Amino acid sequence: MATPSTFPSSSVPGNTQPIIVAQNLGKTYRSGKLEVPALRNVTFSADPGEFVAIVGPSGSGKSTLFYVLGGLTHATSGSLFIEGAEFSRLSDIERTKMRRAKIGFVFQRFNLLPTLSAYNNIEIAHDIANIGAEPKQPLDRALLDHLADLLGIKGRLDHRPNELSGGEQQRVAIARALISRPAIVLADEPTGNLDTKNSDAVLEMLRHSSRELNQTVLMITHNPEAAQIADRIIHMRDGQIRNIEKGRGQILHED
Ligand SMILES: Nc1ncnc2c1ncn2[C@@H]1O[C@H](COP(=O)(O)OP(=O)(O)OP(=O)(O)O)[C@@H](O)[C@H]1O
Ligand SMILES: [Mg+2]
């Protein structure tokens, strides 16, 4: 099938084109003679402001999809459009610019910079998102206060990652992803290390980001209750999308 090189941009006011379009994405890892097909024919799209959860067993390709959608690794087949631009046709510099300006990442293993305090980790992410921006947006201290408050890390901002618990590091990583209000938030197991109270706070925050701030949120989770906060739930197995269902848009607790 011929693939168009561009889609109309969703940043045009009133344009409701999807902000992410994935068409037949494939990713095969190669090490020596060994080939691991981690993604196969993954096709879906996400609209501005949509909250999508991605669930599936360990090894089903969720993190690989996260890396491909974020432009951190190349798909080996298929096409990916972000805001109408085909990722593989952008130069490395253009792709990096797009990633910095448009995408906030919450990594499964947090990836905080170990020599910097929590505050400086958040600040540097904001600075990186602003490279090349005209005019530069100053760090929104009110937003940082708000995020730190909701995430319960206000008293921890002077600490380095190795002085923080896993759950605290995770919450710093979430503040870092949201501080520059990116159009797309990619979150890999953002509640994996959190207790119910903090997990609910994070899910509500991501819900707010999508509903009120029109950010597109893609959240990988193992937790079926957490997935229900999304508008849509994508089920993956063996690198493929097996099913897409509607989420309830709110947190469900069975108790
Ligand atoms: N760098 C790599 N080289 C080779 N194979 C890899 C690499 N990264 C992942 N894989 C393989 O690709 C498949 C998908 O891995 P991926 O990390 O995307 O799974 P996942 O769904 O995120 O799992 P989990 O829930 O455990 O985080 C697995 O079989 C994994 O072993
Ligand atoms: Mg993973």
Side-chain angles (χ1 to χ4, degrees):
M1 187 181 77
T3 11
S5 61
T6 57
F7 271 75
S9 168
S10 60
S11 57
V12 176
N15 192 328
T16 53
Q17 288 294 324
I19 187 165
I20 299 172
V21 176
Q23 292 177 331
N24 298 314
L25 287 179
K27 172 76 182 175
T28 298
Y29 291 109
R30 290 193 176 84
S31 47
K33 283 187 179 160
L34 195 69
E35 293 199 342
V36 181
L39 290 180
R40 292 188 276 187
N41 280 324
V42 169
T43 296
F44 76 96
S45 60
D47 290 330
E50 195 179 8
F51 194 153
V52 179
I54 299 171
V55 300
S58 184
S60 58
K62 304 181 301 295
S63 292
T64 303
L65 181 60
F66 171 98
Y67 286 114
V68 168
L69 294 177
L72 297 167
T73 187
H74 291 289
T76 37
S77 56
S79 326
L80 171 65
F81 298 84
I82 302 288
E83 277 202 343
E86 186 174 1
F87 241 46
S88 65
R89 297 195 189 184
L90 298 177
S91 67
D92 281 351
I93 291 174
E94 286 172 325
R95 201 166 28 242
T96 303
K97 267 192 196 162
M98 167 95 100
R99 191 171 55 228
R100 282 180 184 151
K102 304 279 179 197
I103 305 179
F105 293 93
V106 183
F107 292 95
Q108 193 166 14
R109 294 184 187 86
F110 323 136
N111 293 10
L112 297 174
L113 296 170
T115 56
L116 298 184
S117 68
Y119 177 85
N120 291 135
N121 263 281
I122 296 167
E123 187 181 44
I124 202 171
H126 174 77
D127 291 346
I128 291 171
N130 262 276
I131 292 174
E134 269 316 324
K136 288 212 184 313
Q137 297 296 322
L139 183 95
D140 184 340
R141 281 172 199 279
L143 175 62
L144 176 55
D145 271 357
H146 182 66
L147 291 171
D149 216 14
L150 287 178
L151 291 166
I153 52 170
K154 237 180 175 163
R156 293 286 178 278
L157 292 176
D158 290 336
H159 293 233
R160 290 191 187 163
N162 67 357
E163 300 161 346
L164 297 170
S165 73
E168 287 167 346
Q169 291 181 53
Q170 183 145 48
R171 285 174 277 150
V172 172
I174 291 161
R176 179 180 64 173
L178 296 179
I179 192 66
S180 54
R181 294 198 176 89
I184 298 170
V185 178
L186 297 179
D188 196 348
E189 293 282 1
T191 60
N193 288 63
L194 304 182
D195 57 23
T196 309
K197 177 171 156 270
N198 283 306
S199 167
D200 286 358
V202 165
L203 294 171
E204 290 295 357
M205 183 177 285
L206 294 174
R207 184 72 261 182
H208 176 85
S209 299
S210 74
R211 280 218 178 110
E212 310 299 330
L213 306 176
N214 208 35
Q215 290 168 295
T216 302
V217 179
L218 266 69
M219 176 183 75
I220 294 171
T221 179
H222 272 110
N223 180 342
E225 282 182 15
Q228 287 294 343
I229 193 114
D231 300 309
R232 275 191 303 156
I233 305 170
I234 294 181
H235 292 260
M236 293 192 64
R237 185 174 285 270
D238 299 332
Q240 289 178 297
I241 293 180
R242 287 301 165 94
N243 180 32
I244 300 183
E245 63 168 318
K246 226 168 135 24
R248 299 193 189 198
Q250 60 184 41
I251 305 172
L252 281 184
H253 289 300
E254 310 264 296
D255 52 353

